[in-house]
Amino acid sequence: MGIKPAINIGTVSRTTSIPSPFWAGKDVKKPSMAKNVIKQIWKWSKILLLLFFVVMGLWGCTQTMWDPDTKTSPYIGQGIEYGFSIGSTGDYRFDLISNGTPGYYAYDSFTWQYGPFYGIFVFPGAWFATLISWYGRNWIGGTNVLLAIFLLLLIIRVLSILVTIRSTLQNEKMSEVQGKIAEINAKYKGVNDAFSRQRKSQEIMEIYKKHKIKPFAAFEQVLITLPIFMIIYRVVTICRPIKCTTLFGIWNFGATPTSEILSNFSNGGWIYVFLLLIIMPIQALSSLIPQKLAKRRNRNAQTTSSAGAKQFKRTRLIQIGITVVMCGIVAFSATGVGVYWFFSALFSILQTFIMHWIIMRSRSKGGSLETKLDNFFNV
Protein backbone atom coordinates (compact mmCIF):
# COMPACT_ATOMS: atom_id res chain seq x y z
CA MET A 1 0.00 0.00 0.00
CA GLY A 2 1.36 3.37 -1.03
CA ILE A 3 4.19 1.69 -2.92
CA LYS A 4 4.49 2.74 -6.55
CA PRO A 5 5.13 0.00 -9.07
CA ALA A 6 8.60 -0.16 -10.54
CA ILE A 7 9.06 1.29 -13.99
CA ASN A 8 9.29 -1.30 -16.70
CA ILE A 9 12.29 -0.25 -18.69
CA GLY A 10 11.02 -2.14 -21.68
CA THR A 11 8.02 0.15 -21.92
CA VAL A 12 10.09 3.34 -22.13
CA SER A 13 9.98 4.81 -25.62
CA ARG A 14 13.27 4.83 -27.43
CA THR A 15 12.57 8.41 -28.51
CA THR A 16 12.34 9.61 -24.90
CA SER A 17 15.22 11.98 -24.27
CA ILE A 18 17.03 11.73 -20.98
CA PRO A 19 18.26 15.13 -19.77
CA SER A 20 21.97 15.57 -19.37
CA PRO A 21 23.35 16.44 -15.95
CA PHE A 22 23.74 20.16 -15.33
CA TRP A 23 27.54 19.91 -15.36
CA ALA A 24 27.64 18.47 -18.89
CA GLY A 25 26.63 21.73 -20.60
CA LYS A 26 24.97 22.03 -23.99
CA ASP A 27 26.41 20.64 -27.16
CA VAL A 28 26.19 23.80 -29.25
CA LYS A 29 28.21 24.14 -32.39
CA LYS A 30 29.97 27.46 -32.17
CA PRO A 31 31.26 29.25 -35.25
CA SER A 32 35.01 29.28 -35.47
CA MET A 33 36.80 32.37 -34.22
CA ALA A 34 38.61 32.76 -37.54
CA LYS A 35 35.32 32.86 -39.43
CA ASN A 36 33.89 35.48 -37.08
CA VAL A 37 37.01 37.60 -37.41
CA ILE A 38 36.89 37.41 -41.22
CA LYS A 39 33.20 38.35 -41.25
CA GLN A 40 33.80 41.33 -38.96
CA ILE A 41 36.76 42.51 -41.04
CA TRP A 42 34.70 42.21 -44.22
CA LYS A 43 31.74 44.02 -42.63
CA TRP A 44 33.72 46.99 -41.32
CA SER A 45 35.85 47.19 -44.44
CA LYS A 46 32.68 47.56 -46.53
CA ILE A 47 31.30 50.20 -44.16
CA LEU A 48 34.51 52.24 -44.30
CA LEU A 49 34.72 51.80 -48.07
CA LEU A 50 31.13 52.96 -48.56
CA LEU A 51 31.71 55.97 -46.32
CA PHE A 52 34.83 56.81 -48.30
CA PHE A 53 32.91 56.60 -51.58
CA VAL A 54 30.15 58.84 -50.20
CA VAL A 55 32.69 61.46 -49.11
CA MET A 56 34.44 61.31 -52.49
CA GLY A 57 31.12 61.58 -54.33
CA LEU A 58 30.13 64.67 -52.36
CA TRP A 59 33.64 66.05 -52.86
CA GLY A 60 33.34 65.63 -56.61
CA CYS A 61 29.91 67.32 -56.63
CA THR A 62 30.96 70.38 -54.66
CA GLN A 63 34.66 70.83 -55.44
CA THR A 64 34.15 73.50 -58.10
CA MET A 65 32.53 75.73 -55.45
CA TRP A 66 35.84 76.34 -53.66
CA ASP A 67 38.29 75.40 -56.43
CA PRO A 68 37.49 77.29 -59.68
CA ASP A 69 40.42 75.59 -61.44
CA THR A 70 38.39 72.36 -61.56
CA LYS A 71 35.54 73.88 -63.56
CA THR A 72 34.89 72.16 -66.87
CA SER A 73 33.89 73.53 -70.26
CA PRO A 74 32.62 71.84 -73.44
CA TYR A 75 34.87 74.11 -75.53
CA ILE A 76 38.34 72.97 -76.54
CA GLY A 77 41.12 74.74 -74.63
CA GLN A 78 38.82 76.00 -71.88
CA GLY A 79 38.32 74.68 -68.37
CA ILE A 80 40.44 71.97 -66.82
CA GLU A 81 41.67 69.49 -69.44
CA TYR A 82 43.66 66.27 -69.39
CA GLY A 83 45.95 65.26 -72.22
CA PHE A 84 49.53 65.07 -73.40
CA SER A 85 52.01 67.83 -72.62
CA ILE A 86 51.84 70.98 -74.70
CA GLY A 87 53.08 70.33 -78.26
CA SER A 88 54.36 66.81 -77.55
CA THR A 89 52.41 65.01 -80.30
CA GLY A 90 51.44 67.70 -82.78
CA ASP A 91 47.84 66.43 -82.71
CA TYR A 92 45.40 69.02 -81.41
CA ARG A 93 43.10 66.25 -80.17
CA PHE A 94 45.67 65.16 -77.60
CA ASP A 95 47.98 68.14 -76.95
CA LEU A 96 47.06 70.50 -74.14
CA ILE A 97 46.96 74.24 -74.78
CA SER A 98 48.59 76.70 -72.41
CA ASN A 99 46.11 79.43 -71.57
CA GLY A 100 48.14 81.04 -68.81
CA THR A 101 46.28 79.26 -66.03
CA PRO A 102 46.87 75.93 -64.27
CA GLY A 103 43.74 74.52 -65.87
CA TYR A 104 45.39 71.54 -67.49
CA TYR A 105 46.43 68.12 -66.31
CA ALA A 106 49.43 66.66 -68.14
CA TYR A 107 49.51 62.96 -69.04
CA ASP A 108 53.16 62.52 -68.09
CA SER A 109 52.95 64.14 -64.65
CA PHE A 110 50.97 63.47 -61.51
CA THR A 111 49.88 66.05 -58.97
CA TRP A 112 47.65 66.30 -55.91
CA GLN A 113 47.00 69.93 -56.80
CA TYR A 114 43.31 69.24 -57.46
CA GLY A 115 42.69 67.14 -54.37
CA PRO A 116 42.14 63.43 -53.60
CA PHE A 117 39.06 63.00 -55.79
CA TYR A 118 41.01 63.90 -58.92
CA GLY A 119 44.22 62.27 -57.70
CA ILE A 120 42.70 58.90 -56.74
CA PHE A 121 39.85 58.50 -59.24
CA VAL A 122 39.78 61.03 -62.08
CA PHE A 123 43.50 60.99 -62.91
CA PRO A 124 43.69 57.17 -63.42
CA GLY A 125 40.44 57.17 -65.41
CA ALA A 126 41.57 60.02 -67.67
CA TRP A 127 44.98 58.37 -68.09
CA PHE A 128 43.35 55.12 -69.21
CA ALA A 129 40.88 56.81 -71.56
CA THR A 130 43.62 58.94 -73.13
CA LEU A 131 45.89 55.92 -73.60
CA ILE A 132 43.20 53.85 -75.36
CA SER A 133 42.19 56.85 -77.47
CA TRP A 134 45.81 57.43 -78.51
CA TYR A 135 46.40 53.85 -79.63
CA GLY A 136 43.24 54.00 -81.74
CA ARG A 137 43.75 57.56 -82.95
CA ASN A 138 43.59 56.51 -86.61
CA TRP A 139 40.26 54.73 -86.26
CA ILE A 140 37.36 56.27 -88.11
CA GLY A 141 34.34 57.98 -86.62
CA GLY A 142 35.73 58.40 -83.10
CA THR A 143 35.29 54.71 -82.34
CA ASN A 144 38.56 54.80 -80.39
CA VAL A 145 37.00 57.16 -77.86
CA LEU A 146 33.83 55.05 -77.82
CA LEU A 147 35.94 52.02 -76.94
CA ALA A 148 37.79 53.99 -74.25
CA ILE A 149 34.54 54.97 -72.52
CA PHE A 150 33.22 51.41 -72.79
CA LEU A 151 36.35 49.81 -71.31
CA LEU A 152 36.57 52.39 -68.53
CA LEU A 153 32.96 51.74 -67.59
CA LEU A 154 33.51 47.97 -67.76
CA ILE A 155 36.42 48.14 -65.31
CA ILE A 156 34.54 50.38 -62.89
CA ARG A 157 31.37 48.28 -63.03
CA VAL A 158 33.24 45.02 -62.39
CA LEU A 159 35.00 46.56 -59.37
CA SER A 160 31.74 48.00 -58.05
CA ILE A 161 29.92 44.67 -58.45
CA LEU A 162 32.44 43.05 -56.11
CA VAL A 163 31.42 45.59 -53.46
CA THR A 164 27.68 45.74 -54.16
CA ILE A 165 26.83 42.13 -55.04
CA ARG A 166 24.85 41.70 -51.82
CA SER A 167 22.97 44.90 -52.61
CA THR A 168 22.20 43.52 -56.07
CA LEU A 169 20.80 40.31 -54.58
CA GLN A 170 18.74 42.32 -52.11
CA ASN A 171 17.33 44.51 -54.89
CA GLU A 172 16.27 41.39 -56.78
CA LYS A 173 14.47 40.10 -53.70
CA MET A 174 12.87 43.47 -53.01
CA SER A 175 11.45 43.54 -56.52
CA GLU A 176 9.89 40.13 -55.91
CA VAL A 177 7.94 41.17 -52.81
CA GLN A 178 6.98 44.69 -53.84
CA GLY A 179 3.43 43.53 -54.62
CA LYS A 180 2.92 42.30 -51.05
CA ILE A 181 4.50 45.47 -49.65
CA ALA A 182 2.12 47.53 -51.78
CA GLU A 183 -0.86 45.63 -50.34
CA ILE A 184 0.30 46.27 -46.77
CA ASN A 185 0.75 49.99 -47.48
CA ALA A 186 -2.73 50.10 -49.00
CA LYS A 187 -4.18 48.20 -46.04
CA TYR A 188 -2.95 50.79 -43.54
CA LYS A 189 -3.45 53.85 -45.73
CA GLY A 190 -4.89 56.76 -43.75
CA VAL A 191 -4.42 54.99 -40.41
CA ASN A 192 -2.07 57.00 -38.19
CA ASP A 193 -2.50 55.61 -34.68
CA ALA A 194 0.56 54.15 -33.00
CA PHE A 195 -0.77 50.60 -32.83
CA SER A 196 -1.55 50.48 -36.57
CA ARG A 197 1.85 51.91 -37.49
CA GLN A 198 3.52 49.32 -35.31
CA ARG A 199 1.43 46.53 -36.81
CA LYS A 200 2.23 47.73 -40.32
CA SER A 201 5.96 47.69 -39.54
CA GLN A 202 5.66 44.20 -38.08
CA GLU A 203 3.93 42.82 -41.17
CA ILE A 204 6.53 44.34 -43.47
CA MET A 205 9.37 43.01 -41.31
CA GLU A 206 7.77 39.55 -41.38
CA ILE A 207 7.93 39.59 -45.18
CA TYR A 208 11.53 40.76 -45.06
CA LYS A 209 12.40 38.02 -42.57
CA LYS A 210 10.62 35.32 -44.58
CA HIS A 211 12.54 36.21 -47.74
CA LYS A 212 15.81 37.04 -45.91
CA ILE A 213 15.77 40.66 -47.02
CA LYS A 214 17.84 43.34 -45.34
CA PRO A 215 16.30 46.66 -46.39
CA PHE A 216 19.37 48.80 -45.71
CA ALA A 217 21.58 46.57 -47.86
CA ALA A 218 19.85 47.97 -50.96
CA PHE A 219 21.34 51.41 -50.22
CA GLU A 220 24.86 50.13 -50.88
CA GLN A 221 24.31 50.35 -54.61
CA VAL A 222 22.91 53.88 -54.30
CA LEU A 223 25.94 55.00 -52.30
CA ILE A 224 28.29 53.64 -54.96
CA THR A 225 26.35 55.07 -57.93
CA LEU A 226 27.01 58.75 -57.13
CA PRO A 227 30.82 58.51 -56.99
CA ILE A 228 30.89 56.37 -60.15
CA PHE A 229 28.79 58.92 -62.02
CA MET A 230 30.99 61.79 -60.84
CA ILE A 231 34.17 59.93 -61.86
CA ILE A 232 32.88 59.22 -65.35
CA TYR A 233 31.42 62.73 -65.65
CA ARG A 234 34.75 64.34 -64.80
CA VAL A 235 36.75 62.02 -67.04
CA VAL A 236 34.46 62.65 -70.01
CA THR A 237 34.36 66.41 -69.54
CA ILE A 238 38.11 67.00 -68.97
CA CYS A 239 39.68 64.39 -71.26
CA ARG A 240 41.04 66.28 -74.29
CA PRO A 241 40.56 63.50 -76.91
CA ILE A 242 36.95 62.98 -75.77
CA LYS A 243 36.14 66.69 -75.99
CA CYS A 244 37.65 66.80 -79.49
CA THR A 245 35.68 63.81 -80.79
CA THR A 246 32.62 64.04 -83.03
CA LEU A 247 31.16 60.53 -83.18
CA PHE A 248 30.70 59.46 -86.81
CA GLY A 249 30.92 63.14 -87.72
CA ILE A 250 27.46 63.69 -86.19
CA TRP A 251 27.52 64.03 -82.38
CA ASN A 252 30.13 66.14 -80.62
CA PHE A 253 31.06 64.49 -77.32
CA GLY A 254 31.71 67.86 -75.69
CA ALA A 255 28.36 69.38 -76.69
CA THR A 256 25.14 69.24 -74.66
CA PRO A 257 22.15 67.76 -76.56
CA THR A 258 19.57 70.23 -75.24
CA SER A 259 21.81 73.22 -75.96
CA GLU A 260 22.36 72.05 -79.53
CA ILE A 261 18.66 71.33 -80.05
CA LEU A 262 17.45 74.64 -78.62
CA SER A 263 20.12 77.02 -79.92
CA ASN A 264 21.38 75.34 -83.07
CA PHE A 265 18.45 73.23 -84.27
CA SER A 266 18.42 74.27 -87.94
CA ASN A 267 22.21 74.10 -88.26
CA GLY A 268 22.72 70.48 -87.27
CA GLY A 269 21.30 70.56 -83.75
CA TRP A 270 18.29 68.51 -84.82
CA ILE A 271 20.51 65.45 -85.16
CA TYR A 272 20.85 65.32 -81.35
CA VAL A 273 17.15 64.45 -81.14
CA PHE A 274 18.05 61.04 -82.53
CA LEU A 275 20.78 60.68 -79.92
CA LEU A 276 18.21 61.13 -77.15
CA LEU A 277 15.82 58.74 -78.91
CA ILE A 278 18.55 56.09 -78.75
CA ILE A 279 19.76 56.65 -75.19
CA MET A 280 16.55 57.41 -73.29
CA PRO A 281 14.57 54.23 -74.19
CA ILE A 282 17.50 52.07 -73.09
CA GLN A 283 17.61 53.99 -69.81
CA ALA A 284 13.88 53.36 -69.32
CA LEU A 285 14.25 49.66 -70.13
CA SER A 286 16.98 49.29 -67.51
CA SER A 287 14.34 50.24 -64.90
CA LEU A 288 11.43 48.31 -66.43
CA ILE A 289 13.06 44.94 -67.15
CA PRO A 290 13.90 44.09 -63.48
CA GLN A 291 10.21 44.50 -62.57
CA LYS A 292 9.04 42.30 -65.43
CA LEU A 293 11.49 39.54 -64.59
CA ALA A 294 10.55 39.77 -60.89
CA LYS A 295 6.91 39.11 -61.78
CA ARG A 296 7.98 36.14 -63.83
CA ARG A 297 9.99 34.75 -60.92
CA ASN A 298 7.55 35.27 -58.09
CA ARG A 299 3.83 35.95 -57.78
CA ASN A 300 4.58 38.08 -54.70
CA ALA A 301 5.67 40.79 -57.13
CA GLN A 302 2.00 41.12 -58.11
CA THR A 303 -0.90 42.39 -56.04
CA THR A 304 -4.12 40.49 -55.39
CA SER A 305 -6.35 43.35 -54.18
CA SER A 306 -7.57 46.52 -55.85
CA ALA A 307 -6.16 48.67 -53.04
CA GLY A 308 -2.80 46.98 -53.40
CA ALA A 309 -2.94 47.50 -57.15
CA LYS A 310 -3.48 51.23 -56.66
CA GLN A 311 -0.58 51.46 -54.23
CA PHE A 312 1.58 49.45 -56.60
CA LYS A 313 0.64 51.85 -59.40
CA ARG A 314 1.78 54.81 -57.28
CA THR A 315 5.09 53.06 -56.66
CA ARG A 316 5.47 52.52 -60.38
CA LEU A 317 4.79 56.22 -61.00
CA ILE A 318 7.58 57.13 -58.56
CA GLN A 319 9.95 54.79 -60.40
CA ILE A 320 8.91 56.33 -63.71
CA GLY A 321 9.61 59.76 -62.23
CA ILE A 322 13.12 58.66 -61.25
CA THR A 323 13.66 57.36 -64.78
CA VAL A 324 12.52 60.70 -66.22
CA VAL A 325 15.01 62.51 -63.97
CA MET A 326 17.79 60.21 -65.19
CA CYS A 327 16.83 60.94 -68.78
CA GLY A 328 16.89 64.65 -67.95
CA ILE A 329 20.46 64.30 -66.68
CA VAL A 330 21.38 62.72 -70.02
CA ALA A 331 19.71 65.53 -71.95
CA PHE A 332 21.43 68.32 -70.00
CA SER A 333 24.91 66.74 -69.77
CA ALA A 334 27.67 66.47 -72.34
CA THR A 335 27.07 63.94 -75.12
CA GLY A 336 29.97 61.86 -73.82
CA VAL A 337 28.14 61.51 -70.50
CA GLY A 338 25.04 60.37 -72.41
CA VAL A 339 27.11 57.69 -74.12
CA TYR A 340 28.27 56.57 -70.68
CA TRP A 341 24.64 56.30 -69.50
CA PHE A 342 23.82 54.29 -72.61
CA PHE A 343 26.55 51.74 -71.89
CA SER A 344 25.70 51.77 -68.17
CA ALA A 345 22.04 50.96 -68.93
CA LEU A 346 23.13 48.08 -71.17
CA PHE A 347 25.33 46.74 -68.37
CA SER A 348 22.41 47.01 -65.93
CA ILE A 349 20.12 45.10 -68.29
CA LEU A 350 22.73 42.39 -68.81
CA GLN A 351 23.32 42.13 -65.07
CA THR A 352 19.56 41.82 -64.47
CA PHE A 353 19.26 38.93 -66.93
CA ILE A 354 22.29 37.19 -65.41
CA MET A 355 20.85 37.49 -61.89
CA HIS A 356 17.48 36.23 -63.16
CA TRP A 357 19.17 33.21 -64.73
CA ILE A 358 21.15 32.48 -61.54
CA ILE A 359 18.05 32.68 -59.33
CA MET A 360 15.87 30.56 -61.64
CA ARG A 361 18.58 27.94 -62.10
CA SER A 362 19.15 27.86 -58.35
CA ARG A 363 15.46 27.35 -57.64
CA SER A 364 15.24 24.54 -60.16
CA LYS A 365 17.89 22.79 -58.06
CA GLY A 366 16.21 23.43 -54.72
CA GLY A 367 17.57 26.93 -54.14
CA SER A 368 21.03 25.75 -53.09
CA LEU A 369 22.94 28.42 -55.01
CA GLU A 370 20.71 31.24 -53.81
CA THR A 371 21.10 30.03 -50.21
CA LYS A 372 24.88 29.86 -50.54
CA LEU A 373 25.02 33.40 -51.89
CA ASP A 374 22.80 34.61 -49.04
CA ASN A 375 24.94 32.91 -46.42
CA PHE A 376 28.20 34.13 -47.94
CA PHE A 377 27.15 37.80 -48.13
CA ASN A 378 25.02 37.83 -44.99
CA VAL A 379 27.42 39.92 -42.93
Side-chain angles (χ1 to χ4, degrees), residues 191-209:
V191 181
N192 297 319
D193 60 281
F195 177 78
S196 297
R197 290 198 302 267
Q198 182 179 6
R199 183 58 186 166
K200 174 184 175 181
S201 299
Q202 288 177 349
E203 291 185 18
I204 292 176
M205 292 307 298
E206 286 173 2
I207 292 179
Y208 288 160
K209 184 177 180 180

Side-chain angles (χ1 to χ4, degrees), residues 12 39 72 92 96 101 105 124-125 127 138 142 171 177 188 190 231 251 257 275 280 283 296 298 325 336 365 367 375:
V12 177
K39 290 183 69 174
T72 59
Y92 82 97
L96 296 173
T101 65
Y105 211 7
W127 173 86
N138 295 324
N171 285 336
V177 300
Y188 291 95
I231 293 168
W251 298 307
L275 176 71
M280 289 185 174
Q283 185 67 44
R296 187 179 300 178
N298 197 319
V325 171
K365 296 183 177 181
N375 293 335

Side-chain angles (χ1 to χ4, degrees), residues 8-66:
N8 186 356
I9 297 179
T11 63
V12 177
S13 172
R14 293 184 179 181
T15 60
T16 303
S17 59
I18 300 176
S20 302
F22 69 89
W23 61 80
K26 295 182 179 180
D27 186 15
V28 179
K29 185 179 180 181
K30 297 181 179 180
S32 64
M33 182 177 294
K35 186 176 181 180
N36 285 335
V37 170
I38 292 173
K39 290 183 69 174
Q40 289 299 317
I41 292 175
W42 172 248
K43 175 182 177 180
W44 287 104
S45 297
K46 287 185 65 176
I47 292 174
L48 294 175
L49 185 61
L50 289 172
L51 288 175
F52 176 73
F53 269 100
V54 171
V55 171
M56 287 295 100
L58 295 175
W59 191 305
C61 288
T62 59
Q63 185 173 3
T64 55
M65 295 181 182
W66 73 80

Side-chain angles (χ1 to χ4, degrees), residues 121-142:
F121 297 106
V122 181
F123 181 91
W127 173 86
F128 180 81
T130 301
L131 184 66
I132 299 298
S133 300
W134 172 254
Y135 282 126
R137 61 188 178 278
N138 295 324
W139 294 4
I140 62 173

Side-chain angles (χ1 to χ4, degrees), residues 94-154:
F94 296 90
D95 284 356
L96 296 173
I97 298 175
S98 177
N99 53 14
T101 65
Y104 53 86
Y105 211 7
Y107 177 87
D108 55 359
S109 63
F110 176 82
T111 176
W112 291 99
Q113 176 182 353
Y114 303 106
F117 178 70
Y118 273 88
I120 298 174
F121 297 106
V122 181
F123 181 91
W127 173 86
F128 180 81
T130 301
L131 184 66
I132 299 298
S133 300
W134 172 254
Y135 282 126
R137 61 188 178 278
N138 295 324
W139 294 4
I140 62 173
T143 50
N144 59 326
V145 172
L146 201 65
L147 177 64
I149 295 175
F150 175 81
L151 292 179
L152 178 62
L153 176 62
L154 177 63

Side-chain angles (χ1 to χ4, degrees), residues 149-214:
I149 295 175
F150 175 81
L151 292 179
L152 178 62
L153 176 62
L154 177 63
I155 293 172
I156 292 177
R157 286 298 293 263
V158 169
L159 293 176
S160 66
I161 286 174
L162 297 177
V163 179
T164 62
I165 187 169
R166 185 181 72 153
S167 175
T168 302
L169 291 170
Q170 292 292 311
N171 285 336
E172 292 295 324
K173 289 186 176 184
M174 285 289 289
S175 64
E176 292 184 3
V177 300
Q178 60 181 336
K180 294 299 182 182
I181 299 297
E183 289 187 353
I184 293 175
N185 290 330
K187 176 181 176 182
Y188 291 95
K189 182 182 177 182
V191 181
N192 297 319
D193 60 281
F195 177 78
S196 297
R197 290 198 302 267
Q198 182 179 6
R199 183 58 186 166
K200 174 184 175 181
S201 299
Q202 288 177 349
E203 291 185 18
I204 292 176
M205 292 307 298
E206 286 173 2
I207 292 179
Y208 288 160
K209 184 177 180 180
K210 179 180 178 181
H211 295 273
K212 298 181 180 180
I213 295 175
K214 293 188 175 182

